[in-house]
């Protein structure tokens, strides 16, 4: 079968060349490496954008995308290919380490959630900080993500009850408001907690990062797995520059940061400090 032929009989024309173009574009824009086995995922996610524009060929959609240069079309494309798998207190062993790391501090405590997704991670961080330092502690969590739709959901701070069901009753009462009437079945993070989080769209592979203070801790979990080795090393070097000298970096369960960068040393299970 020719390289440009269809992968399967589908309602949209999707060729091998289309898939390769998408792989190139998302790598250039977001550093994401799409493996060959991601073809069906790409067809499903980007296909929704093709249909929404009244088109039947991926090639026509991609030509229009490349001609648009910047703006909402590109953001929708990136959003479609970003994976948002998260939950409250995911990889739960990290949060007691964070609590012990900040315990007793009086200075402003700043933590960066570098792949904030729909907000569960940054809100889990704030809960941990307030439980450790007290309700009126001077804390701030910077929550960034490349996916604007995910960040919009994070800002709304409203979640189905089943997503918060694993939290204990004390945390539910302290940090959430259960909905009633038309909002039954949902829980909202209390405004006082939301106020501790600052949301910002950010591309980790962009040339320029916003100027920030150094952080007591950075959570950059399950992000490096989408990058190639060169991008991993470059991003980790820039993360190291944003940590305080005694700061901690929290990585994902399958990410070995000290193997990827000599600027970090292991401090436990996927927890790192500067070397």
């Amino acid at each position: 079968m020719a390289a440009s032929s269809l992968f399967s009989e589908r309602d949209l024309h999707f060729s091998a060349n289309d898939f390769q173009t998408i792989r190139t574009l998302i790598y250039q824009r977001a550093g994401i490496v799409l493996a060959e086995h991601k073809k069906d995922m790409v067809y499903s996610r980007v296909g929704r954008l093709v249909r929404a524009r009244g088109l039947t060929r991926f090639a026509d959609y991609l030509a229009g995308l490349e001609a648009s240069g910047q703006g909402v079309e590109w953001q929708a494309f990136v959003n479609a290919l970003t994976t948002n798998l998260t939950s409250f207190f995911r990889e739960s062993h990290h949060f007691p380490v964070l609590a012990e790391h900040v315990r007793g501090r009086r200075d402003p405590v700043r933590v960066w959630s570098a792949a904030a997704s729909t907000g569960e991670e940054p809100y889990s961080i704030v809960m941990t900080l307030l439980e450790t330092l007290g309700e009126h502690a001077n804390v701030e969590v910077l929550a960034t993500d490349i996916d604007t739709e995910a960040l919009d959901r994070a800002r709304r701070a409203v979640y189905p009850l089943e997503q918060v069901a694993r939290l204990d009753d004390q945390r539910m009462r302290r940090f959430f408001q259960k909905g009633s009437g038309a909002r039954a079945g949902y829980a909202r993070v209390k405004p006082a907690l939301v106020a501790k989080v600052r949301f910002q769209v950010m591309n980790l592979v962009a040339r320029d990062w916003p100027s920030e203070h150094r952080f007591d801790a950075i959570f950059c979990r399950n992000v490096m797995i989408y990058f190639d080795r060169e991008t991993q090393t470059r991003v980790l070097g820039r993360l190291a520059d944003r940590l305080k000298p005694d700061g901690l970096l929290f990585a994902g369960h399958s990410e070995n940061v000290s193997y990827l960068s000599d600027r970090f040393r292991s401090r436990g299970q996927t927890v790192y400090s500067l070397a």
Side-chain angles (χ1 to χ4, degrees):
M1 185 175 289
S4 61
S5 63
L6 294 181
F7 292 127
S8 62
E9 294 299 327
R10 292 164 167 166
D11 66 311
L12 300 176
H13 188 282
F14 180 46
S15 71
N17 288 338
D18 296 333
F19 180 61
Q20 186 55 49
T21 299
I22 290 170
R23 296 176 73 185
T24 300
L25 293 177
I26 196 61
Y27 178 78
Q28 292 172 343
R29 291 279 170 156
I32 295 172
V33 176
L34 290 175
E36 283 289 335
H37 70 271
K38 297 292 186 180
K39 292 172 185 174
D40 287 343
M41 181 271 283
V42 168
Y43 179 88
S44 174
R45 295 186 182 184
V46 181
R48 288 194 289 268
L49 302 177
V50 178
R51 293 186 190 93
R53 283 145 188 81
L55 302 172
T56 59
R57 294 169 50 87
F58 272 71
D60 295 335
Y61 166 78
L62 293 170
L65 180 69
E66 292 185 84
S68 68
Q70 299 289 340
V72 294
E73 291 289 339
W74 275 105
Q75 189 61 62
F77 175 75
V78 172
N79 289 354
L81 292 173
T82 301
T83 299
N84 295 297
L85 180 62
T86 186
S87 61
F88 288 101
F89 293 94
R90 186 185 185 199
E91 301 188 41
S92 59
H93 61 281
H94 282 158
F95 296 94
V97 177
L98 174 64
E100 191 58 35
H101 181 60
V102 302
R103 195 178 307 280
R105 299 197 180 198
R106 295 184 179 180
D107 294 333
V109 174
R110 295 186 176 90
V111 179
W112 180 11
S113 172
S117 185
T118 50
E120 289 90 331
E121 179 177 278
Y123 291 132
S124 298
I125 293 169
V126 177
M127 285 184 247
T128 301
L129 296 178
L130 296 183
E131 288 170 345
T132 305
L133 300 173
E135 199 74 33
H136 303 292
N138 186 358
V139 304
E140 180 185 74
V141 174
L142 174 64
T144 67
D145 203 280
I146 195 173
D147 188 332
T148 56
E149 293 179 0
L151 279 184
D152 286 344
R153 290 173 59 190
R155 290 187 186 96
R156 289 196 292 271
V158 176
Y159 301 92
L161 281 177
E162 57 264 27
Q163 288 185 233
V164 299
R166 285 187 289 180
L167 301 179
D168 59 49
D169 290 340
Q170 183 177 356
R171 277 180 173 154
M172 282 295 298
R173 289 192 300 269
R174 183 175 180 182
F175 298 120
F176 290 85
Q177 299 167 327
K178 286 188 178 181
S180 60
R183 298 181 181 178
Y186 292 87
R188 180 182 180 181
V189 182
K190 289 185 177 180
L193 188 73
V194 178
K196 301 288 187 182
V197 183
R198 180 161 58 89
F199 294 99
Q200 184 172 332
V201 178
M202 184 174 176
N203 183 352
L204 289 174
V205 303
R207 183 181 301 275
D208 298 318
W209 285 8
S211 177
E212 291 289 346
H213 299 284
R214 289 195 174 190
F215 295 93
D216 296 277
I218 297 174
F219 282 65
C220 189
R221 306 190 300 176
N222 305 305
V223 177
M224 297 298 155
I225 57 175
Y226 297 104
F227 298 154
D228 60 16
R229 180 65 180 269
E230 179 184 351
T231 305
Q232 290 169 341
T233 302
R234 184 171 67 252
V235 171
L236 284 169
R238 300 177 77 184
L239 291 175
D241 292 338
R242 296 302 176 94
L243 271 178
K244 291 182 179 179
D246 65 342
L248 295 179
L249 173 68
F250 295 89
H253 65 275
S254 62
E255 297 168 327
N256 188 334
V257 168
S258 54
Y259 172 75
L260 295 169
S261 172
D262 59 7
R263 297 191 63 181
F264 292 95
R265 62 184 178 89
S266 176
R267 289 282 299 274
Q269 186 180 358
T270 55
V271 180
Y272 299 87
S273 62
L274 294 175

